[in-house]
Amino acid sequence: MALGMWTNWIKAVCELIILLGLVSLPIVRQCRRKRRTRAQTIQNIQRLTLTLLANPQRDVQWRADFQSLQMLLNVYATLTTSRLETMVTETSRQLLELVDKTVPSRQAVDQQLAALTRCH
């Protein structure tokens, strides 16, 4: 009789664990999707920043790329947690200022990109 009671109790615990796993699965998938989106966004930010640094001309394409960078940085700030959003916004502002200089400091730009990556 005691064995039957333990068996039922173990079955109930196993069912509860399975149910909790099934309920949390969509949440886990959403977290993974957000993490992947943030990673792709930061890669695009880095790629676009390097493109802007390689083309110091201030022509129409450079300006369009610069505006795209601004937009990507805004998107990245919204993808981060609320406690990191202020840091991302400030780092983004500094990065834009550096890239917009006539002769940008590559070391300073790399530092700002590294700071953004750490916010990931």
Side-chain angles (χ1 to χ4, degrees), residues 13 15 18 25 33 42 49-50 52 63 98 105 107 113:
V13 169
E15 288 175 2
I18 291 169
L25 191 59
R33 190 172 30 249
I42 196 68
T49 301
L50 294 176
L52 287 167
R63 278 283 156 209
L98 288 168
S105 165
Q107 182 180 5
L113 287 173

Side-chain angles (χ1 to χ4, degrees), residues 75-102:
V75 167
Y76 186 66
T78 61
L79 292 172
T80 58
T81 60
S82 58
R83 67 181 171 85
L84 289 177
E85 190 172 357
T86 305
M87 184 188 326
V88 169
T89 303
E90 179 60 26
T91 305
S92 298
R93 184 189 61 74
Q94 292 172 2
L95 177 64
L96 289 171
E97 287 176 2
L98 288 168
V99 171
D100 199 28
K101 287 185 177 181
T102 306

Side-chain angles (χ1 to χ4, degrees), residues 23-94:
V23 169
S24 66
L25 191 59
I27 296 168
V28 170
R29 285 183 181 159
Q30 182 181 15
C31 289
R32 284 183 188 155
R33 190 172 30 249
K34 283 184 179 181
R35 192 176 319 119
R36 195 174 324 117
T37 302
R38 283 193 305 266
Q40 289 171 345
T41 304
I42 196 68
Q43 287 174 351
N44 289 334
I45 288 169
Q46 291 171 340
R47 191 175 314 119
L48 192 53
T49 301
L50 294 176
T51 299
L52 287 167
L53 292 176
N55 301 314
Q57 309 92 347
R58 300 291 196 245
D59 61 1
V60 175
Q61 182 61 48
W62 192 93
R63 278 283 156 209
D65 289 345
F66 187 77
Q67 289 174 347
S68 296
L69 179 61
Q70 288 175 316
M71 187 171 43
L72 274 173
L73 289 167
N74 288 334
V75 167
Y76 186 66
T78 61
L79 292 172
T80 58
T81 60
S82 58
R83 67 181 171 85
L84 289 177
E85 190 172 357
T86 305
M87 184 188 326
V88 169
T89 303
E90 179 60 26
T91 305
S92 298
R93 184 189 61 74
Q94 292 172 2

